[in-house]
Protein backbone atom coordinates (compact mmCIF):
# COMPACT_ATOMS: atom_id res chain seq x y z
CA UNK A 1 0.00 0.00 0.00
CA UNK A 2 1.45 3.28 -1.04
CA UNK A 3 1.52 6.24 1.29
CA UNK A 4 1.39 9.85 0.42
CA UNK A 5 3.85 12.18 2.05
CA UNK A 6 2.26 14.92 4.09
CA UNK A 7 2.36 18.24 2.32
CA UNK A 8 5.01 20.56 3.63
CA UNK A 9 3.89 23.11 6.14
CA UNK A 10 3.30 26.49 4.61
CA UNK A 11 6.24 28.77 4.87
CA UNK A 12 5.31 31.99 6.57
CA UNK A 13 7.47 34.86 5.58
CA UNK A 14 8.84 36.70 8.54
CA UNK A 15 8.35 40.39 8.22
CA UNK A 16 10.60 42.73 9.99
CA UNK A 17 8.59 44.68 12.49
CA UNK A 18 9.00 48.37 11.78
CA UNK A 19 8.74 50.98 14.49
CA UNK A 20 5.33 52.64 14.69
CA UNK A 21 4.90 56.29 13.83
CA UNK A 22 4.23 57.04 17.49
CA UNK A 23 7.53 55.47 18.51
CA UNK A 24 9.32 57.55 15.91
CA UNK A 25 7.50 60.60 17.24
CA UNK A 26 8.77 59.87 20.74
CA UNK A 27 12.31 59.56 19.43
CA UNK A 28 12.04 62.79 17.45
CA UNK A 29 10.56 64.68 20.38
CA UNK A 30 13.28 63.35 22.66
CA UNK A 31 15.98 64.54 20.26
CA UNK A 32 14.53 68.05 20.27
CA UNK A 33 14.25 67.96 24.07
CA UNK A 34 17.85 66.75 24.37
CA UNK A 35 18.96 69.77 22.34
CA UNK A 36 17.03 72.02 24.73
CA UNK A 37 18.79 70.43 27.70
CA UNK A 38 22.20 70.77 26.07
CA UNK A 39 21.81 74.31 24.80
CA UNK A 40 24.75 75.63 26.91
CA UNK A 41 27.04 73.38 24.88
CA UNK A 42 25.42 74.35 21.56
CA UNK A 43 24.53 78.05 21.70
CA UNK A 44 26.95 80.31 23.60
CA UNK A 45 25.26 82.96 25.75
CA UNK A 46 26.12 85.19 28.66
CA UNK A 47 24.78 83.95 32.01
CA UNK A 48 22.44 86.93 32.31
CA UNK A 49 21.03 86.28 28.84
CA UNK A 50 20.72 82.59 29.61
CA UNK A 51 18.70 83.26 32.76
CA UNK A 52 16.34 85.50 30.84
CA UNK A 53 15.94 82.93 28.06
CA UNK A 54 15.34 79.91 30.32
CA UNK A 55 11.59 80.50 30.85
CA UNK A 56 11.13 80.83 27.09
CA UNK A 57 12.96 77.56 26.50
CA UNK A 58 10.66 75.90 29.01
CA UNK A 59 7.59 77.40 27.33
CA UNK A 60 8.81 76.02 24.01
CA UNK A 61 9.23 72.56 25.52
CA UNK A 62 5.82 72.49 27.22
CA UNK A 63 3.69 72.17 24.07
CA UNK A 64 6.20 69.68 22.67
CA UNK A 65 5.67 67.49 25.74
CA UNK A 66 1.90 67.70 25.34
CA UNK A 67 1.92 66.96 21.61
CA UNK A 68 4.30 64.02 21.95
CA UNK A 69 2.33 62.55 24.84
CA UNK A 70 -1.06 62.85 23.11
CA UNK A 71 0.02 61.64 19.68
CA UNK A 72 2.04 58.77 21.15
CA UNK A 73 -1.23 57.16 22.26
CA UNK A 74 -1.99 55.48 18.94
CA UNK A 75 -4.73 53.00 18.15
CA UNK A 76 -2.93 50.09 19.80
CA UNK A 77 -2.61 52.02 23.03
CA UNK A 78 -6.17 53.18 23.49
CA UNK A 79 -7.81 50.21 25.15
CA UNK A 80 -9.88 51.13 28.17
CA UNK A 81 -7.85 48.85 30.44
CA UNK A 82 -4.54 50.29 29.28
CA UNK A 83 -5.67 53.87 29.81
CA UNK A 84 -7.19 52.99 33.19
CA UNK A 85 -3.92 51.36 34.22
CA UNK A 86 -1.95 54.38 33.02
CA UNK A 87 -4.24 56.69 34.98
CA UNK A 88 -3.98 54.59 38.13
CA UNK A 89 -0.20 54.36 38.02
CA UNK A 90 0.01 58.09 37.27
CA UNK A 91 -1.97 58.85 40.41
CA UNK A 92 0.21 56.48 42.47
CA UNK A 93 3.44 57.95 41.05
CA UNK A 94 2.25 61.51 41.70
CA UNK A 95 1.31 60.64 45.29
CA UNK A 96 4.69 59.00 45.86
CA UNK A 97 6.48 62.03 44.45
CA UNK A 98 4.46 64.48 46.52
CA UNK A 99 5.13 62.44 49.66
CA UNK A 100 8.86 62.67 48.99
CA UNK A 101 8.88 66.41 48.24
CA UNK A 102 11.41 68.26 50.36
CA UNK A 103 13.64 65.24 51.00
CA UNK A 104 16.83 66.05 49.14
CA UNK A 105 17.66 63.55 46.41
CA UNK A 106 15.00 61.00 47.32
CA UNK A 107 13.04 60.09 44.17
CA UNK A 108 11.03 57.03 45.15
CA UNK A 109 8.96 57.61 42.02
CA UNK A 110 11.92 56.25 40.04
CA UNK A 111 11.13 52.79 41.39
CA UNK A 112 7.63 52.87 39.93
CA UNK A 113 8.77 54.37 36.62
CA UNK A 114 11.40 51.67 36.16
CA UNK A 115 9.10 48.80 37.11
CA UNK A 116 6.23 50.04 34.92
CA UNK A 117 8.53 50.69 31.98
CA UNK A 118 10.00 47.23 32.36
CA UNK A 119 6.59 45.53 32.58
CA UNK A 120 4.69 47.49 29.92
CA UNK A 121 7.34 48.81 27.55
CA UNK A 122 9.15 52.01 26.66
CA UNK A 123 6.13 53.97 25.42
CA UNK A 124 4.16 53.27 28.59
CA UNK A 125 7.15 54.25 30.74
CA UNK A 126 7.62 57.44 28.76
CA UNK A 127 4.00 58.52 29.13
CA UNK A 128 3.94 57.60 32.82
CA UNK A 129 6.97 59.81 33.44
CA UNK A 130 5.39 62.77 31.68
CA UNK A 131 2.02 62.41 33.39
CA UNK A 132 3.45 61.74 36.86
CA UNK A 133 5.39 65.01 36.82
CA UNK A 134 2.44 66.94 35.38
CA UNK A 135 0.01 65.65 38.01
CA UNK A 136 2.36 65.99 40.98
CA UNK A 137 3.29 69.54 39.93
CA UNK A 138 -0.41 70.38 39.70
CA UNK A 139 -1.04 68.95 43.18
CA UNK A 140 1.77 70.95 44.78
CA UNK A 141 1.57 74.10 42.65
CA UNK A 142 5.19 73.49 41.72
CA UNK A 143 5.05 74.49 38.07
CA UNK A 144 8.03 76.47 36.83
CA UNK A 145 10.62 76.62 34.04
CA UNK A 146 12.02 73.34 35.37
CA UNK A 147 8.77 71.38 34.94
CA UNK A 148 8.96 70.52 31.20
CA UNK A 149 12.58 69.47 31.70
CA UNK A 150 11.57 67.21 34.60
CA UNK A 151 8.81 65.72 32.43
CA UNK A 152 11.22 64.65 29.72
CA UNK A 153 13.92 63.52 32.15
CA UNK A 154 11.50 61.26 34.06
CA UNK A 155 9.96 60.08 30.79
CA UNK A 156 13.41 58.93 29.66
CA UNK A 157 13.87 57.05 32.93
CA UNK A 158 10.66 55.10 32.36
CA UNK A 159 11.30 54.54 28.65
CA UNK A 160 14.85 53.34 29.21
CA UNK A 161 13.64 50.58 31.51
CA UNK A 162 11.43 49.30 28.71
CA UNK A 163 14.41 49.09 26.34
CA UNK A 164 16.62 46.97 28.60
CA UNK A 165 17.57 43.50 27.37
CA UNK A 166 16.16 40.32 28.85
CA UNK A 167 17.70 38.98 32.04
CA UNK A 168 18.06 35.43 33.32
CA UNK A 169 15.84 34.70 36.27
CA UNK A 170 14.11 36.94 38.76
CA UNK A 171 17.30 37.81 40.61
CA UNK A 172 19.10 38.64 37.38
CA UNK A 173 16.30 40.98 36.37
CA UNK A 174 16.36 42.83 39.69
CA UNK A 175 20.15 43.18 39.43
CA UNK A 176 19.77 44.53 35.89
CA UNK A 177 17.10 47.02 36.96
CA UNK A 178 19.16 48.07 39.97
CA UNK A 179 22.21 48.80 37.81
CA UNK A 180 19.98 50.74 35.45
CA UNK A 181 18.44 52.59 38.42
CA UNK A 182 21.88 53.75 39.56
CA UNK A 183 22.83 54.95 36.07
CA UNK A 184 19.45 56.63 35.58
CA UNK A 185 19.73 58.40 38.94
CA UNK A 186 23.07 59.96 38.08
CA UNK A 187 22.03 60.73 34.49
CA UNK A 188 18.87 62.45 35.74
CA UNK A 189 20.96 64.69 37.96
CA UNK A 190 23.34 65.55 35.14
CA UNK A 191 20.70 66.50 32.58
CA UNK A 192 18.67 68.46 35.11
CA UNK A 193 21.81 70.40 36.08
CA UNK A 194 22.78 71.14 32.50
CA UNK A 195 19.96 73.43 31.45
CA UNK A 196 20.35 75.91 34.35
CA UNK A 197 24.09 75.57 35.01
CA UNK A 198 25.09 78.74 33.05
CA UNK A 199 23.20 81.01 35.47
CA UNK A 200 23.28 78.86 38.61
CA UNK A 201 26.50 80.45 39.86
CA UNK A 202 28.46 83.54 39.01
CA UNK A 203 31.37 83.68 36.62
CA UNK A 204 35.04 83.52 37.31
CA UNK A 205 35.16 80.20 39.14
CA UNK A 206 36.51 76.80 38.10
CA UNK A 207 32.97 75.46 37.74
CA UNK A 208 31.40 78.42 35.94
CA UNK A 209 29.99 78.42 32.45
CA UNK A 210 32.05 80.54 30.07
CA UNK A 211 30.39 81.83 26.95
CA UNK A 212 32.33 81.01 23.81
CA UNK A 213 34.81 78.75 25.61
CA UNK A 214 35.91 75.50 23.93
CA UNK A 215 33.49 72.62 24.37
CA UNK A 216 36.02 70.55 26.33
CA UNK A 217 36.54 73.39 28.81
CA UNK A 218 32.83 73.88 29.46
CA UNK A 219 32.29 70.14 29.75
CA UNK A 220 35.03 69.91 32.36
CA UNK A 221 33.55 72.85 34.28
CA UNK A 222 30.09 71.34 34.12
CA UNK A 223 31.33 67.98 35.38
CA UNK A 224 33.03 69.65 38.36
CA UNK A 225 29.89 71.70 39.02
CA UNK A 226 27.68 68.59 39.03
CA UNK A 227 30.16 66.59 41.08
CA UNK A 228 30.32 69.19 43.84
CA UNK A 229 26.66 70.21 43.89
CA UNK A 230 24.63 67.05 43.27
CA UNK A 231 26.48 63.92 42.14
CA UNK A 232 28.06 63.13 45.49
CA UNK A 233 24.97 64.08 47.49
CA UNK A 234 21.49 64.28 45.94
CA UNK A 235 22.17 61.91 43.05
CA UNK A 236 23.88 59.32 45.24
CA UNK A 237 20.97 59.36 47.70
CA UNK A 238 18.58 58.97 44.75
CA UNK A 239 20.56 55.99 43.46
CA UNK A 240 20.58 54.29 46.87
CA UNK A 241 16.85 54.90 47.34
CA UNK A 242 16.11 53.46 43.91
CA UNK A 243 18.19 50.32 44.43
CA UNK A 244 16.65 49.66 47.85
CA UNK A 245 13.15 50.16 46.47
CA UNK A 246 13.76 47.84 43.54
CA UNK A 247 15.29 45.17 45.77
CA UNK A 248 12.45 45.29 48.30
CA UNK A 249 9.42 45.85 46.08
CA UNK A 250 10.67 44.85 42.62
CA UNK A 251 9.96 41.10 42.46
CA UNK A 252 6.40 41.29 43.81
CA UNK A 253 5.54 44.47 41.90
CA UNK A 254 6.82 43.11 38.58
CA UNK A 255 4.83 39.91 39.03
CA UNK A 256 1.66 41.88 39.79
CA UNK A 257 2.14 44.27 36.86
CA UNK A 258 2.76 41.41 34.46
CA UNK A 259 -0.36 39.62 35.63
CA UNK A 260 -2.31 42.78 34.85
CA UNK A 261 -0.66 42.95 31.43
CA UNK A 262 -1.58 39.36 30.60
CA UNK A 263 -5.19 39.88 31.65
CA UNK A 264 -5.73 42.83 29.35
Amino acid sequence: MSTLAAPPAPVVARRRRLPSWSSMLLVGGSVVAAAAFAWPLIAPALPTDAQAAAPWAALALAPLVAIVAVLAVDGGFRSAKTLALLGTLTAVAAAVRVAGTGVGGVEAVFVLLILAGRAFGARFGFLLGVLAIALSSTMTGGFGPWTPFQMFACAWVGAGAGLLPRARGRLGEIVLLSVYGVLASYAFGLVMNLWFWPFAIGGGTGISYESGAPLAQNLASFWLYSLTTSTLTWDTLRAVTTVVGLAVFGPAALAALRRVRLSR
Side-chain angles (χ1 to χ4, degrees), residues 225-262:
Y225 167 79
S226 292
L227 189 67
T228 55
T229 60
S230 70
T231 302
L232 296 179
T233 53
W234 292 59
D235 299 342
T236 297
L237 182 56
R238 182 185 300 115
V240 171
T241 303
T242 301
V243 170
V244 171
L246 289 170
V248 174
F249 302 107
L254 275 176
L257 291 173
R258 282 169 174 158
R259 282 197 298 268
V260 173
R261 182 186 65 185
L262 292 173

Side-chain angles (χ1 to χ4, degrees), residues 175-189:
V175 170
L176 175 65
L177 294 180
S178 296
V179 172
Y180 172 74
V182 171
L183 296 177
S185 296
Y186 286 113
F188 178 87

Side-chain angles (χ1 to χ4, degrees), residues 145-247:
W146 55 86
T147 305
F149 292 97
Q150 287 179 335
M151 287 181 177
F152 265 108
C154 284
W156 291 335
V157 171
L163 298 175
L164 294 175
R166 292 183 178 181
R168 291 185 178 180
R170 183 176 300 179
L171 178 60
E173 184 168 39
I174 295 301
V175 170
L176 175 65
L177 294 180
S178 296
V179 172
Y180 172 74
V182 171
L183 296 177
S185 296
Y186 286 113
F188 178 87
L190 286 173
V191 298
M192 286 303 300
N193 286 342
L194 184 56
W195 74 274
F196 68 83
W197 162 58
F199 53 86
I201 57 175
T205 72
I207 58 175
S208 298
Y209 169 79
E210 185 175 338
S211 178
L215 177 62
Q217 177 181 331
N218 272 331
L219 279 175
S221 298
F222 171 68
W223 169 245
L224 289 176
Y225 167 79
S226 292
L227 189 67
T228 55
T229 60
S230 70
T231 302
L232 296 179
T233 53
W234 292 59
D235 299 342
T236 297
L237 182 56
R238 182 185 300 115
V240 171
T241 303
T242 301
V243 170
V244 171
L246 289 170

Side-chain angles (χ1 to χ4, degrees), residues 25 62-72:
L25 177 66
L64 176 63
V65 174
I67 292 171
V68 168
V70 171
L71 294 183

Side-chain angles (χ1 to χ4, degrees), residues 82-197:
T82 301
L83 292 180
L85 180 62
L86 180 60
T88 300
L89 291 180
T90 296
V92 172
V96 168
R97 185 167 185 263
V98 170
T101 299
V103 182
V106 175
E107 289 286 357
V109 70
F110 272 32
V111 176
L112 182 56
L113 292 178
I114 291 172
L115 293 175
R118 179 65 171 178
F120 300 113
R123 263 196 307 161
F124 191 99
F126 186 99
L127 292 172
L128 181 60
V130 169
L131 296 175
I133 297 300
L135 181 57
S136 61
S137 298
T138 301
M139 293 168 64
T140 60
F143 274 100
W146 55 86
T147 305
F149 292 97
Q150 287 179 335
M151 287 181 177
F152 265 108
C154 284
W156 291 335
V157 171
L163 298 175
L164 294 175
R166 292 183 178 181
R168 291 185 178 180
R170 183 176 300 179
L171 178 60
E173 184 168 39
I174 295 301
V175 170
L176 175 65
L177 294 180
S178 296
V179 172
Y180 172 74
V182 171
L183 296 177
S185 296
Y186 286 113
F188 178 87
L190 286 173
V191 298
M192 286 303 300
N193 286 342
L194 184 56
W195 74 274
F196 68 83
W197 162 58

